[in-house]
Amino acid sequence: MGTIDIANLSAEERLRLLEELWDSLSATPEAVPLTNAQREELDRRLDELDRDGPVGIPWEEVLRRIRSRNP
């Protein structure tokens, strides 16, 4: 694989490259190393989700609220 001179890429090209990199990483999340602190934080959040359940507003409610504010 050749070297890419990122400085010579347009903003659109850099965004496309970033998207391709993100997609390649998200396809194999187990390949992304985590620090102990990150792993502990993820465990804490999963425990919280197990304990409290999902928190938030359903997407349909968000849309309804937005649409009701704009004529």
Side-chain angles (χ1 to χ4, degrees), residues 21-33:
L21 288 168
W22 184 259
D23 288 346
S24 71
L25 288 171
S26 64
T28 55
E30 66 280 356
V32 179

Side-chain angles (χ1 to χ4, degrees), residues 3-17:
T3 302
I4 298 172
D5 187 358
I6 295 172
N8 289 331
L9 298 176
S10 69
E12 183 178 327
E13 291 169 324
R14 285 182 275 166
L15 286 171
R16 193 174 322 116
L17 177 60

Side-chain angles (χ1 to χ4, degrees), residues 33-59:
L34 296 175
T35 65
N36 285 337
Q38 290 169 324
R39 189 173 316 284
E40 289 171 8
E41 178 62 13
L42 287 173
D43 288 342
R44 184 193 67 75
R45 291 180 186 196
L46 286 171
D47 291 343
E48 185 178 290
L49 182 60
D50 287 342
R51 184 181 63 249
D52 300 338
V55 178
I57 301 170
W59 177 240

